[in-house]
Amino acid sequence: MKPILRIDTIFVPAIDTAAAAAWYARVFDMVEVFRSGEYIGLRVTGAPRNSTALTLNPVERIDPAAQVAFNFYTQDPDALRERLLAESAEVTPITDEEGMRWFDFVDFSGNRVNICHFAGGE
């Protein structure tokens, strides 16, 4: 089994995610594909279900250095987390919420990257 299948989403911080979603939809012809609280996921209209999405994540201020820039989709977040720990990577605990499981890690260069899994994501 491959450790990851694709880059699943690109995170974009937004102070007002609903207004930002409307702007992306209008300017780039994107459609909302999920909403979880203030998090809103968008994908290019007509793109396949497993293509990379854009996730607007709510923030009080924009601080690019503090944001996760992208994530990888995996079939097995537990195994991938263990693999990263074996590489001595800084890794957060797995969060399990609303059918999605995810964690963050710090890569070799100090960047925060997210790993996610959700049903139907293959």
Side-chain angles (χ1 to χ4, degrees), residues 42-70:
L42 303 163
R43 191 169 287 128
V44 173
T45 299
R49 176 180 163 87
N50 65 352
S51 63
T52 303
L54 189 76
T55 297
L56 301 168
N57 60 297
V59 296
E60 291 184 19
R61 64 182 177 77
I62 306 296
D63 181 3
Q67 303 300 316
V68 171
F70 66 94

Side-chain angles (χ1 to χ4, degrees), residues 9-18 20-21 24 34 36-42 54-64 66-70 104 112:
T9 195
I10 306 229
F11 291 96
V12 176
I15 294 169
D16 181 340
T17 56
Y24 275 95
F34 76 86
S36 177
E38 291 184 64
Y39 288 81
I40 301 172
L42 303 163
L54 189 76
T55 297
L56 301 168
N57 60 297
V59 296
E60 291 184 19
R61 64 182 177 77
I62 306 296
D63 181 3
Q67 303 300 316
V68 171
F70 66 94
D104 293 349
R112 286 183 58 214

Side-chain angles (χ1 to χ4, degrees), residues 55-101:
T55 297
L56 301 168
N57 60 297
V59 296
E60 291 184 19
R61 64 182 177 77
I62 306 296
D63 181 3
Q67 303 300 316
V68 171
F70 66 94
N71 73 356
F72 290 117
Y73 177 84
T74 184
Q75 292 175 310
D76 190 347
D78 297 287
L80 186 50
R81 185 174 184 276
E82 290 302 315
R83 184 177 185 165
L84 288 161
L85 286 169
E87 291 289 328
S88 300
E90 180 183 329
V91 182
T92 67
I94 292 177
T95 300
D96 192 341
E97 186 176 296
E98 297 183 29
M100 183 177 277
R101 300 183 74 224

